[in-house]
Amino acid sequence: KAGVTQTPRYLIKTRGQQVTLSCSPISGHRSVSWYQQTPGQGLQFLFEYFSETQRNKGNFPGRFSGRQFSNSRSEMNVSTLELGDSALYLCASSSGGSSYNEQFFGPGTRLTVL
Amino acid sequence: AQSVTQPDIHITVSEGASLELRCNYSYGATPYLFWYVQSPGQGLQLLLKYFSGDTLVQGIKGFEAEFKRSQSSFNLRKPSVHWSDAAEYFCAVGGGATNKLIFGTGTLLAVQP
């Protein structure tokens, strides 16, 4: 079974631009969560999507948004990039449902904002 | 407030020595507890998890962890460390109807030959 796939793996953008990151979950998984990892703030939860609906949201500004498609693939978008958005963005997939399910993490997308 | 504390930012052990990484949590409901490992440039790999039942849980790569409710702790242990264990280790807590995880700040493990 293929693991969680994230594309692209590396990305360089300049301040003010926007960026879209993609996550393909494990086949059959319906939940996708996104995390931001920085040296200063550590791993922080961005949001979770389940069956195309946002189920939970972290404490990030509205510049951070996401969506999930009918095939469970998910994208996250960051608009008006700031230097502080430079981070490793991790996505995690799980089977979802009404109770906690084990999450499997992808390798991440390394975003650098210049 | 929900939080996870890993008091040790950096630990160095000799190969073959025992290891214990500390984790304390604060969580309002029954916690689900996890230890993840991250190698440079990689994502997170689950080492072990505790949902309920036996408070001593076994994981992959010879790791184990003990849940102590009275101390709000979930410390990770390994009896004999290998050079390949050098990585960053994260403790996390979750629960309820969502998959949101709250992570500690991580402990970077270095292994001396």
Side-chain angles (χ1 to χ4, degrees), chain A residues 45 48 55-56 97-101, chain B residues 94-101:
Chain A
F45 174 80
E48 179 199 2
R55 184 157 73 172
N56 204 345
S98 59
S99 61
Y100 184 85
N101 292 273
Chain B
T98 78
N99 287 322
K100 176 182 177 180
L101 289 174

Side-chain angles (χ1 to χ4, degrees), chain A residues 33-71:
Chain A
S33 298
W34 289 89
Y35 293 83
Q36 181 196 63
Q37 185 177 22
T38 60
Q41 299 299 317
L43 279 152
Q44 294 187 288
F45 174 80
L46 280 155
F47 28 65
E48 179 199 2
Y49 286 87
F50 176 72
S51 293
E52 301 179 64
T53 301
Q54 189 179 84
R55 184 157 73 172
N56 204 345
K57 188 177 186 304
N59 189 26
F60 278 81
R63 300 185 297 107
F64 292 81
S65 63
R67 58 178 176 169
Q68 187 180 35
F69 302 95
S70 58
N71 62 358

Side-chain angles (χ1 to χ4, degrees), chain A residues 2-7 22-26 91 106-107:
Chain A
V4 179
T5 305
Q6 291 189 245
T7 56
S22 179
C23 173
S24 293
I26 292 171
C91 109

Side-chain angles (χ1 to χ4, degrees), chain A residues 16-37:
Chain A
Q17 287 187 310
Q18 75 165 15
V19 67
T20 299
L21 312 181
S22 179
C23 173
S24 293
I26 292 171
S27 177
H29 283 188
R30 296 163 62 196
S31 167
V32 173
S33 298
W34 289 89
Y35 293 83
Q36 181 196 63
Q37 185 177 22

